[in-house]
Amino acid sequence: MNDAAPRLAALAETLLGAPLPVRIRAWDGSEGGPLDGPILVLHNRRALRRILWKPGELGLARAWVAGDLTVDGDLFELLDRVGGLLWERDPAPGRAAGDKGPAALLRDPRARAAVRSLVGLARPWTAPAPPPEEAVRRGGPRHTKGSDRQAISHHYDVGNAFYERVLGPSMVYSCAYWSPGGSLEDAQRDKLDLVCRKLALRPGERLLEVGCGWGSMALHAAREYGAKVTGITLSREQAAYARKRVAEAGLADLVEIRVQDYRDVKDGPYDAISSIGMAEHVGAERYRTYARSLHGLLRPGGRLLNHQIARRPEPDEEAYRIDEFIDAYVFPDGELSPLGTTVGELERAGFEVRDVEALREHYALTLRAWVAGLELHWEEAVRLTSPGRVRVWQLYMAASALAFEHNRLGVNQVLAVRTGTRAASGMPLRAREWPAQP
């Protein structure tokens, strides 16, 4: 009897305490749930076992990465519908706010019966092994130099050719700065130029780029502004790629790329520092070290441009937990802080924060462009990495785009100054009138 999907839909509604927002298609060909919109496809019972053995986001992610779970239709629409159910709905009737966990379900006789029925559908009752793309946890403290190198390698050392298919010719892996009707390449160039103008770079000035990626910012600052750039990264693949680009551009006299931890940079002072999309890897317990290190590397009057993703503050910050899917498959040990926390830490390190610009909508546009690039080059990307790795990036970028669109995440450029004699900032009276390149 082909009835797995209607049974799953009814059981899911019992457990969720709300109507199912998407249609389900099961391994036996049956369907259940609303007739409109995208369809969540469970290709086998293993998909259900993954979800039951690891309830919540990580179990769903494992099923997706392994290919046991896919979407027939628009992935963005499906994630938007499911995200609204998971993150924005009120508690189920009879359940107190904040009482949504497994313990609450076990106290509900209907929920217990639904779980038993799901276990029956999922048999044989064995735990599937995690997909090979999942990061291996080796224990020990987070955000040591060694653990940071390992985390960065997991995310970035998956092949430069893969990132070329996703990011396009700019090879910039951070939020672009869009104009109406502009292309991704235009937007990334404009972002790099905005950073240079906020830093007021001049020919011959020393710029330290913390987390230099594939060298795009270093190249732009040297070529367009005549800056002498030191770029640092923990990814050997990124460094090799960036050095090749620097040599091909004939800018080796202006740009040096190092495989180096920011804590090991000792050759200051620099006139300016850019940190674009790197501080998310620092970790809350290390952020003060990060801020103080950068402050110490700047000359008096030097500027820092810190471009960083922010999360919304929690009612109880002690309750914050790293996202399971992101931690396991995308950015191991990555931690997001509210904007106010970041600004506070920079100020405690001695910086004067002079400008904050929110670019939330810009990152949503950027992520959608990256998803389009990945899907356009899907077969090549699979050949260059693995089917599971490509599914990781598709899910991560699509879900992140929606998180920015719904204001669950933001991204901000914070311009800060190490003030000089008599607290001189060197800033213009009208700070937003960023000077053009010299």
Side-chain angles (χ1 to χ4, degrees), residues 154 189 238 321 383:
H154 175 86
R189 182 199 62 236
Q238 283 187 333
R321 296 291 181 269
R383 177 175 53 81

Side-chain angles (χ1 to χ4, degrees), residues 6 43 45 48 68 97 156 164 221 284 303 381 407:
H43 292 279
R45 296 176 190 267
L48 185 55
D68 300 326
Y156 293 105
E164 287 177 336
R303 300 183 186 184
N407 196 23

Side-chain angles (χ1 to χ4, degrees), residues 354 427-433:
R354 297 296 305 229
M427 296 288 295
L429 291 176
R430 297 188 177 186
R432 284 290 175 92
E433 296 178 2

Side-chain angles (χ1 to χ4, degrees), residues 14-15 95 104-116:
T14 298
L15 291 170
R95 191 178 298 169
L105 290 177
L106 292 175
R107 290 193 295 269
D108 185 333
R110 294 177 304 164
R112 290 200 301 270
V115 171
R116 286 195 296 270

Side-chain angles (χ1 to χ4, degrees), residues 83-245:
L85 179 68
L86 294 177
W87 296 310
E88 298 168 10
R89 70 186 181 94
D90 294 326
R95 191 178 298 169
D99 189 18
K100 304 177 185 179
L105 290 177
L106 292 175
R107 290 193 295 269
D108 185 333
R110 294 177 304 164
R112 290 200 301 270
V115 171
R116 286 195 296 270
S117 295
L118 287 172
V119 170
L121 272 174
R123 287 175 180 164
W125 188 237
T126 53
E133 291 79 10
E134 188 166 314
V136 178
R137 287 286 172 210
R138 291 183 169 84
R142 294 175 183 259
H143 300 296
T144 64
K145 293 177 183 179
S147 68
D148 280 353
R149 280 195 301 272
Q150 181 183 356
I152 292 297
S153 178
H154 175 86
H155 186 77
Y156 293 105
D157 292 342
V158 298
N160 295 325
F162 168 76
Y163 277 104
E164 287 177 336
R165 303 309 188 274
V166 178
L167 305 179
S170 70
M171 288 298 282
V172 179
Y173 193 26
S174 56
C175 172
Y177 191 57
W178 294 83
S179 295
S183 68
L184 175 62
E185 297 308 304
D186 292 337
Q188 291 292 14
R189 182 199 62 236
D190 289 348
K191 188 271 299 298
L192 298 177
D193 205 66
L194 178 66
V195 171
C196 291
R197 289 187 287 118
K198 287 183 176 182
L199 291 172
L201 290 179
R202 292 293 179 264
E205 289 191 331
R206 299 186 73 206
L207 169 67
L208 174 65
E209 189 190 2
V210 183
C212 66
W214 293 273
S216 299
M217 173 65 188
L219 288 166
H220 187 87
R223 182 176 55 242
E224 304 299 334
Y225 289 81
K228 294 182 178 179
V229 187
T230 300
I232 62 172
T233 176
L234 295 180
S235 167
R236 294 188 178 278
E237 287 194 21
Q238 283 187 333
Y241 190 97
R243 288 169 183 153
K244 183 174 183 290
R245 294 178 74 191

Side-chain angles (χ1 to χ4, degrees), residues 322-394:
I322 299 171
D323 182 278
E324 283 190 304
F325 167 61
I326 298 296
D327 192 44
Y329 287 98
V330 186
F331 289 110
D333 296 348
E335 295 180 59
L336 301 181
S337 296
L339 172 60
T341 301
T342 296
V343 169
E345 291 293 352
L346 292 173
E347 290 182 329
R348 289 184 186 94
F351 283 106
E352 181 185 14
V353 172
R354 297 296 305 229
D355 187 80
V356 177
E357 184 173 4
L359 302 176
R360 177 172 63 84
E361 294 87 352
H362 293 263
Y363 218 157
L365 292 170
T366 305
L367 285 156
R368 283 184 176 268
W370 289 343
V371 171
L374 177 65
E375 292 177 348
L376 180 64
H377 300 288
W378 187 274
E379 296 302 326
E380 289 180 89
V382 167
R383 177 175 53 81
L384 291 166
T385 54
S386 70
R389 182 71 64 190
V390 177
R391 285 192 287 267
V392 166
W393 256 249
Q394 183 192 32

Side-chain angles (χ1 to χ4, degrees), residues 26-51:
W27 52 88
D28 61 359
S30 63
E31 295 189 5
L35 294 174
D36 66 316
I39 302 172
L40 191 66
V41 183
L42 285 76
H43 292 279
N44 47 55
R45 296 176 190 267
R46 186 170 57 247
L48 185 55
R49 289 200 294 274
R50 291 189 186 277
I51 296 167

